[in-house]
Amino acid sequence: MRELVALFSEPGTLDNLGIGQIRDGLADLLFPGISTVQTRARYLVLIPWTFQRAALGKSGAALVKAADREQREILLALREAGHTQGLIGRVAGAAERVLPSTIYWNALQTYKILRQDTRPQHLPQTRKAASNDDEIRDGLPWSTLPPPESFPTDVTEQGFDLSAAEANWLRERMVVTCEGSLLAHLLSQPTMADLDVHNLWDLDLDAAPQKLRDLVEDTELFSLALHGAALLYNFMVGEAYERHELTSVEAPAQHYREELEQWSARYWNHPLAPTWDRSRLWRRFPAIPSRTQQFVETWIDGVNALGAGAPTDSVELRRLIGDREFQNKGAQSRLTNEKQLRLWQGASGAGRLQFRWPQASQILSDISEGLNHAGA
């Protein structure tokens, strides 16, 4: 649980200005099933095996209890064996409150690994099927590789490394169920693209269909444009912080003034940003609240009208940011609530939007390394 709390405390994950619905919508189109709290691909293999074992002769609360116990035992065994990169429960171990099944359940359904739209307590009781018992196997809620006889005692030998069979199976599940996404495109290529890039729009997408390239372009431009709004918000918080003579954060207003100058240069040096037609973005999200769309449009139009001037000096843009934060947070607004202001630690949602690329790139890397085992 502490790892999850830490994640949502990081600068890039907070939604001070109420644009999370657009951010998450773009991330869902790019990387279906991926969430910001996922860590390693092999959980998508281990969780079904755990529940398949738990369902033998059990259902309801007894099934859930058995699956929870085995997950905790696996987490503890992995930690003791040193498999800590991406380990859920790395700190808490068997006492972890948020188990892998909770974090990956939506992904299991998205990739049709779990073939039923159901919760753990509603999974059916099963009996062990013989290897040739297709009727029983076809009726099971899981579509997965058969667990090895040595599972879960051998989980520490392999850790989070996918075998070639596991990687091929996961790739097939994601490609089949996520057609049109960036996730499916990257996995369907004969050779995996270089994933060692900071931003998803830095990937080599020359072979991608135009529709996907358009999606990535809109994602990049949205991230670039709205990063300026996040920086101006933090600049205004920094000013208020200094007005209240708070000193734990040193010279925050000057820091964000410099950040905004650098952002403005990136924005105006981008060949597409100042002339971006946002109509394609809104067609993807017809259900976005009109106030959210209006905020985004007014911000970008205001930046374009300002030209290369400093957003920190724009009365209109400052008013827009202040009104939007209050609209989004009400009495909890940092710009109007001194108690909330005192809790500020120098950055709140100040990072550029990543659209779950850090998590997706790790999962893709896990699959790619597993596939490489097949050719080794």
Side-chain angles (χ1 to χ4, degrees), residues 3-74:
E3 291 96 325
L4 304 188
V5 171
L7 173 67
F8 286 110
S9 299
E10 291 177 1
T13 60
L14 302 178
D15 186 24
N16 298 296
L17 301 176
I19 58 171
Q21 194 172 348
I22 305 171
R23 174 201 63 203
D24 294 345
L26 289 167
D28 287 341
L29 291 174
L30 293 161
F31 305 115
I34 304 295
S35 77
T36 57
V37 289
Q38 291 172 6
T39 56
R40 303 299 299 268
R42 198 164 188 247
Y43 281 115
L44 293 164
V45 177
L46 299 177
I47 295 167
W49 288 351
T50 299
F51 276 87
Q52 284 176 301
R53 283 169 48 84
L56 293 173
K58 302 182 187 70
S59 62
L63 185 158
V64 173
K65 184 177 180 180
D68 282 7
R69 181 176 61 252
E70 186 158 289
Q71 286 184 80
R72 295 179 196 283
E73 291 171 354
I74 288 173

Side-chain angles (χ1 to χ4, degrees), residues 59-301:
S59 62
L63 185 158
V64 173
K65 184 177 180 180
D68 282 7
R69 181 176 61 252
E70 186 158 289
Q71 286 184 80
R72 295 179 196 283
E73 291 171 354
I74 288 173
L75 296 182
L76 186 58
L78 288 169
R79 187 175 71 168
E80 291 178 347
H83 300 294
T84 56
Q85 183 185 352
L87 176 63
I88 297 167
R90 179 179 56 84
V91 175
E96 177 63 36
R97 292 174 59 189
V98 182
L99 291 173
S101 57
T102 300
I103 293 171
Y104 283 82
W105 202 259
N106 178 64
L108 293 167
Q109 293 179 317
T110 298
Y111 308 139
K112 298 294 188 289
I113 297 169
L114 177 58
R115 294 185 284 201
Q116 300 174 359
D117 183 9
T118 189
R119 304 308 301 163
Q121 62 269 27
H122 299 139
L123 290 170
Q125 175 179 320
T126 61
R127 66 179 176 83
K128 189 167 184 178
S131 59
N132 61 350
D133 198 339
D134 293 335
E135 182 178 351
I136 290 179
R137 197 172 302 282
D138 290 344
L140 293 175
W142 299 100
S143 175
T144 184
L145 295 172
E149 291 293 331
S150 54
F151 178 80
T153 56
D154 69 343
V155 71
T156 57
E157 296 178 17
Q158 193 171 332
F160 289 113
D161 294 337
L162 290 168
S163 68
E166 292 167 354
N168 270 300
W169 170 75
L170 267 182
R171 175 174 64 174
E172 182 269 338
R173 289 286 78 217
M174 292 177 173
V175 169
V176 167
T177 57
C178 301
E179 185 179 0
S181 69
L182 182 55
L183 181 70
H185 169 75
L186 293 171
L187 288 170
S188 64
Q189 299 307 295
T191 303
M192 183 75 76
D194 180 7
L195 302 174
D196 189 20
V197 296
H198 185 67
N199 299 303
L200 65 93
W201 43 85
D202 295 326
L203 289 163
D204 180 1
L205 297 177
D206 289 346
Q210 185 62 47
K211 187 176 180 180
L212 180 56
R213 294 203 302 273
D214 289 345
L215 172 61
V216 172
E217 180 180 285
D218 285 344
T219 301
E220 176 188 6
L221 295 173
F222 180 79
S223 175
L224 175 59
L226 272 296
H227 188 209
L231 291 173
L232 181 57
Y233 167 73
N234 277 273
F235 170 77
M236 293 168 62
V237 173
E239 284 185 319
Y241 189 88
E242 292 175 3
R243 282 198 304 271
H244 284 80
E245 298 183 349
L246 302 173
T247 58
S248 295
V249 180
E250 184 178 353
Q254 180 59 31
H255 168 74
Y256 282 107
R257 185 182 293 278
E258 294 170 359
E259 287 286 314
L260 275 161
E261 290 174 356
Q262 296 173 26
W263 168 81
S264 183
R266 289 194 299 272
Y267 183 86
W268 288 103
N269 286 331
H270 194 288
L272 301 175
T275 58
W276 178 33
D277 178 7
R278 282 90 67 185
S279 61
R280 189 170 60 191
L281 175 71
W282 304 126
R283 285 196 297 271
R284 291 192 177 92
F285 305 116
I288 290 293
S290 58
R291 282 176 136 187
T292 301
Q293 181 174 343
Q294 182 181 13
F295 166 71
V296 172
E297 289 287 347
T298 304
W299 167 259
I300 296 175
D301 287 343

Side-chain angles (χ1 to χ4, degrees), residues 232 235 257 306 309-316 318:
L232 181 57
F235 170 77
R257 185 182 293 278
L306 185 65
T312 52
D313 300 329
S314 169
V315 174
E316 292 79 9
R318 290 168 66 102

